[in-house]
Amino acid sequence: MNSKEWIRIEGLAKHYSPTKKITDISFSIDKPEIFALCGGNGAGKSTLIKMLTGIMKPTAGMVFMDGKKVEPQSKSFKKLFSYMPDEMLFPRQLTGLEVLTFFARLRGISDEKVTEALHQVGLFDVRDMQIKQYSKGMQQRLSLAQALLPDVPLRILDEPTNGLDPLWVYRFKEIIQEEKRQGRTIFFTTHILSLVEELADRAGFMQEGHLQYCDSVESLVQKNGVYTPLEKVFFN
Ligand SMILES: Nc1ncnc2c1ncn2[C@@H]1O[C@H](COP(=O)(O)OP(=O)(O)OP(=O)(O)O)[C@@H](O)[C@H]1O
């Protein structure tokens, strides 16, 4: 165990069918850090996140925190993270403010924090608009806002930049860097390798249910002292 190691995933696996499976995933998450999990469509990123968040029971494997075994389904583990799913469906008749207030009340979070989160994701001025009038990117920012509400040490974000315009990809990077400055760990999935290079401390790359690479971004892009873009590292 390295000195920063916080959460350790050991041999996590999910067998959907003999041909569709995620096998033997082992890696650690440090605190604080920005960890990006990338990989192709159907590689197993969302499945891994669902196992880590306790939404899905793994076929095999264990999760450790500070060296002790934890159950991702347990209440005590769930208290440590917030989660942004890859797709979040909101009641279309409600306003952005109503939706976020609902999430906040569930978790005993103040209205001030709701206002702050709406400002963070640029939805404060449209807070009284119904969700049905929100664009895909605005709904994605609302989903991010609900994940920013709780004061927890870990944020797990599944494809958070999907549907965001370039300005909001830029703002997303600022938000995530600020979250890390505040001591949090951000674990997110993405298809955008340039985002990984720019933002992440460490990255994992999944392919067909396997974790093929997992290292610091610096080590991944520096091969024999020469800079190699991540897409060349992963696809050559
Ligand atoms: N509930 C399920 N039942 C059966 N197979 C599933 C289920 N969920 C996912 N799969 C399969 O497991 C594999 C991994 O899917 P997963 O959604 O984890 O991939 P992903 O890396 O998140 O993909 P993407 O980048 O396209 O979102 C795929 O082959 C998918 O078809």
Side-chain angles (χ1 to χ4, degrees):
M1 187 167 126
N2 73 49
S3 59
K4 279 168 70 194
E5 183 177 303
W6 183 36
I7 295 170
R8 169 131 211 102
I9 285 124
E10 273 294 341
L12 224 49
K14 182 75 191 174
H15 292 190
Y16 288 120
S17 73
T19 50
K20 279 192 180 180
K21 49 189 176 183
I22 280 88
T23 48
D24 201 20
I25 308 288
S26 298
F27 66 100
S28 65
I29 303 172
D30 297 345
K31 190 173 145 190
E33 76 165 343
I34 302 174
F35 189 112
L37 184 66
C38 37
N41 291 132
K45 304 177 296 296
S46 294
T47 301
L48 177 60
I49 280 198
K50 284 177 187 151
M51 292 192 284
L52 184 58
T53 51
I55 294 170
M56 187 180 272
K57 209 169 160 22
T59 310
M62 287 181 274
V63 177
F64 297 86
M65 178 180 264
D66 295 323
K68 290 190 200 97
K69 188 170 181 285
V70 290
E71 296 299 338
Q73 300 93 331
S74 68
K75 271 192 184 163
S76 55
F77 187 70
K78 282 182 188 285
K79 272 187 194 154
L80 297 172
F81 67 86
S82 61
Y83 169 53
M84 175 181 178
D86 56 349
E87 195 179 8
M88 197 156 191
L89 296 175
F90 298 111
R92 291 172 54 77
Q93 304 302 322
L94 296 186
T95 66
L97 176 63
E98 285 167 342
V99 164
L100 218 52
T101 303
F102 170 76
F103 281 106
R105 298 263 159 90
L106 276 182
R107 299 162 179 163
I109 294 166
S110 70
D111 290 349
E112 287 72 34
K113 187 65 212 175
V114 171
T115 303
E116 188 188 323
L118 283 166
H119 278 295
Q120 268 179 298
V121 302
L123 293 178
F124 184 77
D125 291 346
V126 291
R127 64 192 182 284
D128 293 324
M129 236 164 82
Q130 287 177 307
I131 302 297
K132 65 180 175 195
Q133 294 169 280
Y134 276 24
S135 69
K136 180 174 163 45
M138 288 158 81
Q139 291 186 39
Q140 189 72 345
R141 277 147 56 196
L142 189 62
S143 177
L144 176 61
Q146 67 74 31
L148 294 172
L149 281 175
D151 183 10
V152 286
L154 173 63
R155 306 232 187 265
I156 301 177
L157 315 174
D158 199 354
E159 298 191 25
T161 61
N162 254 3
L164 295 189
D165 67 22
L167 170 70
W168 279 97
V169 173
Y170 173 70
R171 292 260 192 272
F172 170 79
K173 288 186 267 191
E174 289 186 327
I175 290 170
I176 296 309
Q177 278 155 347
E178 178 54 28
E179 288 281 306
K180 186 188 163 193
R181 270 194 292 276
Q182 291 178 13
R184 293 196 180 91
T185 291
I186 300 90
F187 181 87
F188 74 102
T189 66
T190 184
H191 294 124
I192 307 169
L193 296 180
S194 57
L195 183 69
V196 178
E197 282 193 39
E198 252 182 283
L199 192 59
D201 301 304
R202 290 193 308 136
F205 181 75
M206 286 188 76
Q207 206 168 15
E208 294 174 7
H210 299 279
L211 185 64
Q212 296 239 314
Y213 296 88
C214 185
D215 210 338
S216 70
V217 172
E218 206 179 323
S219 311
L220 286 168
V221 299
Q222 288 295 335
K223 291 282 164 217
N224 306 319
V226 180
Y227 167 74
T228 311
L230 273 185
E231 56 186 9
K232 288 224 161 106
V233 174
F234 295 151
F235 302 124
N236 267 2

